[in-house]
Amino acid sequence: GQQLNQSPQSMFIQEGEDVSMNCTSSSIFNTWLWYKQDPGEGPVLLIALYKAGELTSNGRLTAQFGITRKDSFLNISASIPSDVGIYFCAGQLSAGNQFYFGTGTSLTVIP
Amino acid sequence: GAVVSQHPSWVICKSGTSVKIECRSLDFQATTMFWYRQFPKQSLMLMATSNEGSKATYEQGVEKDKFLINHASLTLSTLTVTSAHPEDSSFYICSARDSGLAGSPETQYFGPGTRLLVL
């Protein structure tokens, strides 16, 4: 299957700092999704991207669909303690295909 | 966003028994649902793709006779772990594909997960 490389694997930051994480692939995707998973719960969709170059915000979160269509980025501004969790990217090659998931980025926010 | 429910949220069972997990799309129809397994601090591992009205497609290494999947309606898929053993203990998560209107982008929504502990 497809492999999505997500980095960094983990982050420890101070409350109020900005966060950046990214996801790269060797294949071209037509859809990128970003999820957050809290412990013991299912992933929750944060942002969906459908066009190369697209920049979409959801509150303090901003995600971009890379121009090459092989990568995507997620930024969190002014982090707060409730941002703690694991963030996953997911990419889809084309409509009707499965979504492939990144390895996740574990975020810890220190108050 | 769309809502996907999963039941039960956790289950403890004896070794050798079978456990059924339900996944429902509450406010949209899902012709395709997915079943994942997740180990602690790891990513989601796709087990199988469940298609309404047809047989599920299993990923390599996943025993179809061990993990029975039924997708009898557009809003319900079930995963049955047959003759469960301690090594089957894990966090099982389903997701449902929301295809939206024809030609519109697809999105995938997850259920809250089911934690299975086999004693």
Side-chain angles (χ1 to χ4, degrees):
Chain A
Q2 294 294 322
Q3 192 147 8
L4 298 187
N5 298 310
Q6 192 171 340
S7 65
Q9 278 190 335
S10 61
M11 302 180 73
F12 294 81
I13 62 169
Q14 289 288 139
E15 182 177 358
E17 290 184 356
D18 296 343
V19 173
S20 290
M21 61 189 77
N22 68 79
C23 207
T24 61
S25 167
S26 58
S27 300
I28 293 175
F29 286 111
N30 78 333
T31 299
W32 285 98
L33 306 176
W34 283 93
Y35 294 88
K36 181 194 177 197
Q37 185 178 27
D38 290 327
E41 299 182 16
V44 174
L45 182 66
L46 299 174
I47 293 178
L49 303 163
Y50 300 109
K51 292 181 182 178
E54 181 180 358
L55 188 70
T56 299
S57 293
N58 178 4
R60 293 178 295 105
L61 277 63
T62 302
Q64 184 163 24
F65 194 139
I67 292 292
T68 65
R69 297 174 61 190
K70 292 184 177 182
D71 55 11
S72 180
F73 307 86
L74 176 69
N75 296 315
I76 304 173
S77 62
S79 59
I80 59 178
S82 61
D83 291 334
V84 167
I86 301 178
Y87 292 80
F88 290 102
C89 63
Q92 185 188 41
L93 291 170
S94 60
N97 287 334
Q98 66 169 291
F99 281 91
Y100 296 94
F101 285 82
T103 48
T105 295
S106 175
L107 177 63
T108 300
V109 179
I110 303 168
Chain B
V3 179
V4 176
S5 70
Q6 211 171 317
H7 177 80
S9 56
W10 59 270
V11 58
I12 301 174
C13 68
K14 291 183 179 180
S15 184
T17 60
S18 294
V19 175
K20 179 186 283 188
I21 304 170
E22 293 185 350
C23 179
R24 294 180 186 273
S25 55
L26 298 186
D27 50 3
F28 66 100
Q29 293 184 332
T31 54
T32 304
M33 292 185 174
F34 303 91
W35 287 96
Y36 296 85
R37 185 172 179 176
Q38 187 178 36
F39 293 102
K41 298 186 179 181
Q42 293 189 22
S43 188
L44 304 158
M45 184 189 79
L46 180 64
M47 298 174 65
T49 302
S50 169
N51 299 296
E52 187 267 337
S54 64
K55 291 183 179 180
T57 303
Y58 290 82
E59 295 299 300
Q60 191 172 11
V62 178
E63 300 175 57
K64 62 180 181 181
D65 295 329
K66 172 76 173 176
F67 299 98
L68 300 178
I69 292 173
N70 184 278
H71 193 157
S73 78
L74 288 172
T75 59
L76 173 65
S77 175
T78 60
L79 168 69
T80 301
V81 183
T82 61
S83 186
H85 291 286
E87 58 266 29
D88 298 324
S89 299
S90 190
F91 191 50
Y92 293 88
I93 312 174
C94 73
S95 70
R97 172 186 287 160
D98 183 359
S99 300
L101 300 175
S104 61
E106 295 182 2
T107 310
Q108 189 170 327
Y109 297 95
F110 283 88
T114 296
R115 187 161 300 283
L116 171 64
L117 177 60
V118 184
L119 302 176

